[in-house]
Amino acid sequence: MRILVLNADYPRFLNWLYRRQPGLGSAGYAAQMAARNASLFGVADFYSRNFAALGHSAAEIHVNNAWLQTAWAREHGMAVEAAETATPSGSTSLPAWLQRAVTPLKPMLRPLARKVGLSPSLDAQAEAILLAQIEDFKPDVVLNQDTFHVDPQLMRRIKAIGNPILIGQIGIAPSRGVDWSVYDLMMSQLSATVDFFRRLGVRAEVNHLAFERGILEALPPAPAIDIEVSFVGTVSPDHRQRIALLEAVAERYDLKLFGNPPQTLPASSPLHRCFQGEVWGADMYQALRRSKITLNSHIDMAGREAGNMRLFEATGVGAFLLTDFKDNLHTLFEPDGDVATWRSVDDCLAVISRMIGDANGRAAIARAGQARTMAQHTYRHRAAEILGFVETLRKPR
C-alpha cells in the first residue's frame, strides 16, 4: 500500500530549526525534509519509516511548514508566494501562515490550539499544495495526525482524490458538533476518546504513542548525569496539577524545567528560577538522560488515563521516570517496576527523597522501563497495529 502521514509542528520549533541552519529555507525539499527528520523532534519520520520497513511505500507531509511545502511546490511547477520574510535584523521570521498556525506537538494537546484565538486551518495556498501532494502520491491510506489544520472539510476533498482510506489520530474528545463521518477510522491513545467517537457512530480504536528505536543510534553518547530532578514539557493554565507538583518539588530540590514560563505564572512562583528554556529533539532526549529523576504529570484533561508522549520518550532513552499514577498505567508499564509512580504531591516528594540517593534502584527501574518500551511500545509496534486496522477496513462487511 501507499501510506501518507499528515502532521504539523510547533511554529516555535520551526523557527528554531530554520534559524540554526541558515539557508535551509532556500534548500530543496529533500534537503529540508532530511534536516527536519534529523532533528528527532516529535514523531519526525517515525511512522513512515516503520510502514516502509513493513513493506509499504510511505511518506510524511508537515502541512504547516511553509518553507518545506513551498519547496515541494516550486519543484513541481506550482506558482507560490515566498515562504520567508526579512526582519530588520536580517534574520528569517515566520511566514504569515505559520504565525496563524499554533499547533502543539502532542496529539493530546492539539485541541488547545483553539484556545489561543487563532485559526488553526490552512490558508488557500497551503491547501492547494497539500491537495497537489495527494494527487502526486496517490495514497491508499491517509493517516491524519493533525485534525485541526486538516479539518474534516479538507479531508473530504482529500477523500475525493482516489478515495483513500482515511484515518485520524487525536488525543482527547474534540468539540461537539463536528462531523467526523468522513473518516474510516479514528484512533486515540485514550479509551475515553475512542468511546466518544464510537458514540458518534464513527469506527474507533486505541493506538498508543511510542518510541523510535533508531533514536538511540542517532543520539550523541550518553551525557553525565548532572541534573537532580527535571521536567521537560509545557507548563500552562491547562496544567494546574502539574504546576502544583512542580512548585512543591522546586521548594525542596534543584529542579530544572525545560520549557518556557507561562505569562500567567505568578511572580512569586518558585518555578521562575527553574526554567532552562526550550529544548527540541536530540537536545530534549539528552536532557532526559542527564537527569537522576525526570518527572511526568499528564495534562489535567487527560483524567484518569495515562498515555502521553513523555512516558515513552523518557523510558525509551533509559531515564528513570517518576510519573503520575493512572488507572490504565499497568496496561503500559508495571507501576513501580518499569516506572516509579506518585499519587499525590506528598507521595511524589517522598519517592524523590527515597530514590534520589539510590543510584542502583533508579538504574534497575530505568533498565526495566526501557526494556518494556523496546518490547511493546516502539513505532514498529504501532505501525503494525495500524496496518492490522487497515486490513480489517479493507475486508467487505
Side-chain angles (χ1 to χ4, degrees):
M1 291 183 293
R2 298 180 63 79
I3 305 171
L4 198 55
V5 182
L6 310 182
N7 217 321
D9 281 323
Y10 279 129
R12 296 190 310 279
F13 160 73
L14 292 175
N15 213 10
W16 170 84
L17 176 68
Y18 283 85
R19 284 182 172 172
R20 75 190 293 260
Q21 299 188 47
L24 180 61
S26 301
Y29 184 77
Q32 291 192 48
M33 183 65 83
R36 165 64 188 83
N37 292 336
S39 74
L40 304 180
F41 174 69
V43 298
D45 63 341
F46 303 152
Y47 282 93
S48 61
R49 75 164 68 173
N50 282 286
F51 286 132
L54 292 169
H56 303 275
S57 297
E60 313 264 355
I61 294 177
H62 298 278
V63 300
N64 73 330
N65 185 331
W67 297 284
L68 186 62
Q69 289 295 84
T70 53
W72 186 94
R74 287 194 302 268
E75 292 172 12
H76 288 78
M78 296 179 68
V80 292
E81 297 178 5
E84 297 180 344
T85 56
T87 64
S89 65
S91 61
T92 299
S93 68
L94 289 171
W97 124 27
L98 271 180
Q99 292 171 347
R100 291 195 303 273
V102 180
T103 300
L105 161 64
K106 302 172 181 62
M108 179 178 288
L109 301 184
R110 288 183 183 134
L112 301 182
R114 293 183 166 183
K115 297 185 178 182
V116 301
L118 303 177
S119 171
S121 61
L122 300 179
D123 66 10
Q125 176 171 288
E127 286 193 7
I129 296 171
L130 175 58
L131 293 173
Q133 290 171 311
I134 299 293
E135 291 183 355
D136 181 73
F137 191 78
K138 298 178 175 60
D140 300 300
V141 178
V142 176
L143 171 56
N144 182 19
Q145 297 181 312
D146 185 58
T147 58
F148 291 89
H149 277 96
V150 186
D151 59 22
Q153 182 177 353
L154 182 52
M155 289 300 287
R156 286 184 175 82
R157 297 176 68 186
I158 290 172
K159 186 74 168 178
I161 304 174
N163 194 34
I165 291 172
L166 300 186
I167 301 176
Q169 188 171 31
I170 189 170
I172 64 170
S175 301
R176 295 182 180 275
V178 177
D179 182 3
W180 300 97
S181 61
V182 66
Y183 284 97
D184 299 286
L185 176 70
M186 293 299 295
M187 302 188 309
S188 177
Q189 70 270 35
L190 301 177
S191 62
T193 302
V194 169
D195 292 340
F196 173 90
F197 284 113
R198 288 175 177 174
R199 287 194 298 270
L200 293 177
V202 178
R203 195 165 190 165
E205 298 288 350
V206 171
N207 185 257
H208 282 282
L209 302 173
F211 180 77
E212 172 53 39
R213 186 183 294 269
I215 288 172
L216 296 177
E217 300 173 1
L219 288 176
I225 298 177
D226 60 354
I227 296 174
E228 194 170 66
V229 184
S230 72
F231 177 80
V232 182
T234 302
V235 178
S236 79
D238 297 287
H239 303 90
R240 289 175 296 178
Q241 182 187 58
R242 178 179 297 176
I243 290 173
L245 173 77
L246 295 176
E247 287 185 333
V249 173
E251 293 284 5
R252 294 196 188 183
Y253 298 97
D254 184 15
L255 174 66
K256 303 296 185 187
L257 293 181
F258 294 90
N260 289 328
Q263 293 181 348
T264 55
L265 192 66
S268 59
S269 174
L271 297 185
H272 284 287
R273 66 175 180 267
C274 302
F275 284 100
Q276 309 295 304
E278 293 175 310
V279 284
W280 308 105
D283 292 338
M284 182 271 292
Y285 289 114
Q286 293 296 76
L288 295 173
R289 297 167 101 188
R290 290 171 57 196
S291 306
K292 289 184 178 180
I293 296 173
T294 194
L295 300 173
N296 187 29
S297 173
H298 286 74
I299 191 170
D300 296 344
M301 65 179 68
R304 302 179 66 86
E305 288 194 78
N308 64 11
M309 186 77 86
R310 198 173 299 103
L311 284 169
F312 308 105
E313 291 170 338
T315 56
V317 295
F320 173 84
L321 180 65
L322 175 52
T323 187
D324 43 351
F325 181 86
K326 299 290 184 179
D327 291 347
N328 70 324
L329 181 63
H330 69 282
T331 67
L332 300 170
F333 296 96
E334 180 184 348
D336 302 314
D338 301 330
V339 294
T341 61
W342 60 269
R343 296 171 184 261
S344 67
V345 170
D346 287 342
D347 187 32
C348 183
L349 295 173
V351 175
I352 295 174
S353 176
R354 185 171 66 251
M355 298 302 298
I356 200 161
D358 185 2
N360 291 336
R362 295 196 313 270
I365 289 177
R367 284 194 301 270
Q370 187 176 47
R372 175 79 65 175
T373 291
M374 295 305 173
Q376 298 181 4
H377 303 310
T378 68
Y379 282 102
R380 185 67 56 84
H381 293 101
R382 303 301 183 245
E385 290 171 5
I386 294 170
L387 292 172
F389 297 150
V390 170
E391 287 304 310
T392 300
L393 291 170
R394 296 173 76 183
K395 293 178 181 177
R397 295 190 179 183

